Amino acid sequence: MRFLFKKWTKNASADYKPWAGGRKAVDGGACGRNPGRSGRHTCAGRLPLPARRGLCSFHTRDLAINGDRRMQRLQCISPIDDSVYVERPLATHDEIRSALAAASGAQPAWRRTRLAERVAIVRRAIRLFTDRKQQLGEELCWMMGRPIRFASGEILGFAERAAYMADIAESALADIQLPDKPGFTRFIRREPLGGSLVIAPWNYPYFTAVSAVVPSLLAGNTVLLKHSAQTPLCAEQMVETFAEAGLPVGVFQYLHLDHGDVEQLVRAPEIDHVAFTGSVDGGTAVERAAAGRFIPVGLELGGVDPAYVRADADLEQAVASVVDGAFLNSGQSCCGIERAYVHESLFDEFVARATALVRAYRLGRPDDPDTNLGPLVRAEAADFVRGQIDEAIAAGASAHIDTGEFPMDRRGTPYMAPQLLTGVDGGMRVMREASFGPVLGVQKVRDDSEALALINDSCFGLTAAIYSRDQRAAMALADAIETGTVFLNRCDYLDPALAWTGIKNSGRGCTLSGVGYEYVTRPKSFHFKRV
């Protein structure tokens, strides 16, 4: 991490006592990468630690130093073979304070930097990043289990989002001019918020991070990035690439933190904005930590996204799109399709065609180029999805996939066969809770009214997909669906020109598009009278 070590001088509130006592600094929480044998990433001079697994993606362990000094480390357990792929010390309290001081010190000069120069730095970073897509894809494969044949595609998506936000920065951040009023000069200027904290997840670690990081930087904010412990190299790669592109010291930094330090960081007076992507429980914790600070908090908390196949749909196209949207990335997508409603006239044929496509997946090690369905991130995650499926079958659902056709499928491991269920209903967990795994429930519906009622019968609202040849009918449905994005004849895709947002338990706020810039800036009005 690019720290600027200097005294922390910003005054805090009387009751704010960040990181008093606690861990002592043994060595940095932001060491450089030192690939060990077989491509594993370790820190030089440190002993490898045995794996420790749990439902949370944060793996930490105490390590005795000289018998009496202790520190915490994070471990990324690769779902490929349950090995420790990356391990890092967590940032010490002194390093956290130094990072905050560096960000606060760098922000005034960064906000005064011409927008054209900020855009140029981002464009250089994009070029450097895409040049490394093969290496970055291999790291993604090992950290979170995405098949290597797909892994580098996220880097191209990263570039698409960052480039679009750079393209529109000048117009999106321009002063808002008002109609002329004799004797007055009036306009509204968008000013940066100050210091932004971005908390990113492991499932699409570059997509989710870039959507918040790049607009915030372009708007003139400094950024601290806290990435999932499952994907720590993503934070390091992003920060190092932007530094190489010419970003000044202190403007963009990363920190490897535990949950307690994240909550303290949210409360720090140097943090003026938080962008969090993750679970509802995680979003609740962030919101509570920020309570009383009156700062913008963006929350993207996922969904249980529906697809509706109308009677007039192109069935072949709809089946291919829904299946891909449900099983891509092993179902570990915030906006993946988790429940499908199909008109009764197409239902049997839809199920037959979808079953054939699902059976054709090849479940295997993601570092095998022939694999197109990798493991889930952890064995516990796979067991959770299996539990949903078992409950649904016990309640009367029918499973259409013989898991015996997938030799790698084994309970107690992250390798899990895909499954397609019928005979499901809204009372089953598999249709109400986020599965985040390779399972799709398909339910028959009579008409648009029944489909609409089922779609909206959810505490989430991130995206919804309609499949129809009738755009007017689809538009009427889209207006009535309670969600952040409605697709027609596609799903599971973020167009950077459109606002990415959700309602209900899917969160609040917005990233991407020109609207996204409104959430990383504040309006300042200028009302001058000429005398």
Side-chain angles (χ1 to χ4, degrees), residues 1-7 97-99 101-103 105-106 249-250 253:
M1 183 171 184
R2 293 171 62 87
F3 283 120
L4 175 61
F5 289 96
K6 65 179 185 179
K7 187 177 180 181
R97 286 190 287 266
S98 294
V249 172
Q253 305 169 83

Side-chain angles (χ1 to χ4, degrees), residues 118-137:
R118 298 201 295 263
V119 169
I121 291 172
V122 168
R123 294 197 189 283
R124 286 196 294 271
I126 294 170
R127 289 193 295 272
L128 291 168
F129 216 69
T130 52
D131 287 345
R132 299 164 184 165
K133 67 179 180 179
Q134 182 174 353
Q135 174 198 345
L136 299 176

Side-chain angles (χ1 to χ4, degrees), residues 237-251:
Q237 291 281 17
M238 285 183 65
V239 169
E240 290 173 13
T241 300
F242 275 83
E244 187 176 341
L247 199 67
V249 172
V251 172

Side-chain angles (χ1 to χ4, degrees), residues 226-416:
K226 186 276 175 192
H227 228 298
S228 166
Q230 192 69 39
T231 48
L233 297 184
C234 296
E236 296 175 15
Q237 291 281 17
M238 285 183 65
V239 169
E240 290 173 13
T241 300
F242 275 83
E244 187 176 341
L247 199 67
V249 172
V251 172
F252 184 26
Q253 305 169 83
Y254 69 84
L255 288 167
H256 297 315
L257 303 171
D258 64 22
H259 297 314
D261 281 340
V262 171
E263 291 186 10
Q264 290 290 337
L265 198 58
V266 171
R267 298 187 184 106
E270 294 84 357
I271 298 301
D272 304 292
H273 164 253
V274 179
F276 172 85
T277 304
S279 68
V280 174
D281 287 346
T284 300
V286 169
E287 193 169 54
R288 285 174 178 166
R293 295 210 55 225
F294 311 118
I295 61 173
V297 177
L299 303 171
E300 201 269 82
L301 308 179
V304 184
D305 290 1
Y308 171 39
V309 181
R310 298 186 77 240
D312 67 335
D314 180 327
L315 185 59
E316 182 177 6
Q317 187 270 337
V319 170
S321 177
V322 170
V323 168
D324 182 66
F327 296 97
L328 184 67
N329 205 36
S330 300
Q332 299 169 128
S333 173
C334 298
C335 57
I337 299 299
E338 298 216 8
R339 49 194 174 115
Y341 304 107
V342 181
H343 190 271
E344 58 188 6
S345 65
L346 300 179
F347 183 81
D348 291 342
E349 185 64 19
F350 179 96
V351 171
R353 293 190 185 199
T355 299
L357 284 182
V358 175
R359 290 180 63 193
Y361 277 105
R362 180 186 171 100
L363 174 67
R365 284 179 58 113
D367 55 343
D368 180 346
D370 291 331
T371 294
N372 60 5
L373 186 71
L376 273 69
V377 69
R378 293 180 304 282
E380 294 87 350
D383 287 344
F384 174 82
V385 181
R386 288 186 176 102
Q388 288 185 322
I389 295 170
D390 292 344
E391 286 182 18
I393 293 172
S398 298
H400 290 258
I401 305 300
D402 178 3
T403 58
E405 296 180 10
F406 296 83
M408 287 286 287
D409 174 81
R410 289 190 296 276
R411 289 181 180 266
T413 78
Y415 289 90
M416 177 183 172

Side-chain angles (χ1 to χ4, degrees), residues 16 42 60 83 101 108 200 220 243 288 292 296 339 371 393 443 494 499 510 531:
Y16 177 71
T42 61
T60 64
S83 64
R288 285 174 178 166
R339 49 194 174 115
T371 294
I393 293 172
Q443 187 170 349
L494 274 69
C510 173
V531 295

Side-chain angles (χ1 to χ4, degrees), residues 36-49:
R37 295 180 181 178
S38 303
R40 303 298 192 271
H41 293 267
T42 61
C43 294
R46 301 192 177 96
L47 298 175
L49 299 175

